[in-house]
Amino acid sequence: MKDDVAWREYQQDAANLLGELGFDVQVEEKFPTLRGARIEVDVTARRMVAGVEILWVVECKLWKDPVPQGVLHSLVTVCEETGADRGFLLCETGFQAGAILEAHRRNITLTSLAYLRCSAAQDLLETRQRRAEARLHELMSLYGPELGNDSAHPAEWILQMFAAALPEQRLSRLREASESTDCGDGEGLVGIVDELVGMPSEQFSEMMTE
């Protein structure tokens, strides 16, 4: 039971990471095959690139031993049956030599979730920055004119806007973060916007009208 819970958490962590990268993800999606059967994929990830849908299929192996070549062959079949553009095999304990050699000839990526998260760090930041900027512009357009802060720097604007609503300790921490970081860069802006405007629009509106 513990192993099953840990594996499901591992599977969900993989899905969450791809979702943060901007993919439309599904867990345990089922596909019909040409033979009339159905196959289930641990995680599927889709996104549009130049008007074309890209599909990745991800198999999650939370194993104590390296993954053998036979598992890779199964993933190759899954890619063929689903029409996936790329398959990912995730395992934290590595892969046997035969699997590594075979993957080089296929549209298969062998990696760990930890390494994938590390290698995607810059992409994650850029994705969060785009979302934060869109959210911030939305809030500024809604509340900026009536609060008289529409010309302020974005980071200064949200700090001013929330000054009356945030606990002093939290507000001081945010002020220190904004002063120690160039709020015009991605990391500074994303950190402050994540902290201040990550709440749902309904909750934000309620707070603003209190």
Side-chain angles (χ1 to χ4, degrees):
M1 182 63 70
K2 281 186 177 180
D3 289 345
D4 184 63
V5 171
W7 176 81
R8 291 199 175 278
E9 290 178 352
Y10 186 68
Q11 178 191 42
Q12 190 60 55
D13 286 345
N16 291 344
L17 174 60
L18 292 167
E20 288 178 42
L21 287 168
F23 286 87
D24 179 17
V25 298
Q26 292 189 55
V27 173
E28 298 179 1
E29 182 176 357
K30 296 179 174 61
F31 292 83
T33 69
L34 296 176
R35 301 184 303 276
R38 295 177 71 83
I39 56 175
E40 183 176 281
V41 179
D42 289 345
V43 179
T44 54
R46 294 176 172 85
R47 70 187 304 175
M48 300 298 294
V49 177
V52 178
E53 184 180 77
I54 302 299
L55 170 63
W56 289 357
V57 295
V58 183
E59 289 294 309
C60 304
K61 305 299 181 186
L62 192 60
W63 292 359
K64 297 178 181 178
D65 300 311
V67 174
Q69 187 174 358
V71 175
L72 184 138
H73 289 159
S74 298
L75 182 54
V76 169
T77 300
V78 169
C79 289
E80 292 172 349
E81 294 281 4
T82 60
D85 299 278
R86 177 155 292 273
F88 282 76
L89 197 52
L90 302 184
C91 182
E92 305 306 300
T93 53
F95 306 88
Q96 293 183 6
I100 295 171
L101 290 173
E102 183 71 17
H104 286 307
R105 301 196 294 265
R106 305 285 188 173
N107 61 332
I108 303 294
T109 296
L110 306 181
T111 187
S112 67
L113 180 58
Y115 183 82
L116 187 62
R117 183 179 288 114
C118 181
S119 62
Q122 184 60 37
D123 291 332
L124 284 170
L125 176 59
E126 291 174 357
T127 299
R128 291 174 63 211
Q129 181 181 358
R130 288 193 296 271
R131 290 175 177 170
E133 288 174 343
R135 175 72 166 141
L136 183 55
H137 286 306
E138 175 192 355
L139 295 177
M140 290 183 75
S141 65
L142 287 172
Y143 300 105
E146 66 185 71
L147 294 175
N149 290 323
D150 51 315
S151 60
H153 185 283
E156 296 171 357
W157 184 87
I158 52 181
L159 284 171
Q160 293 170 19
M161 182 176 65
F162 278 80
L166 288 172
E168 183 57 36
Q169 182 179 5
R170 188 178 177 199
L171 187 62
S172 297
R173 188 172 68 251
L174 290 168
R175 284 204 178 101
E176 290 174 3
S178 68
E179 291 169 359
S180 63
T181 308
D182 177 6
C183 293
D185 69 19
E187 189 170 2
L189 179 61
V190 167
I192 294 173
V193 172
D194 274 356
E195 183 76 14
L196 291 177
V197 298
M199 64 184 65
S201 297
E202 296 79 7
Q203 182 182 347
F204 181 87
S205 298
E206 288 176 6
M207 190 182 73
M208 290 298 297
T209 55
E210 286 179 355

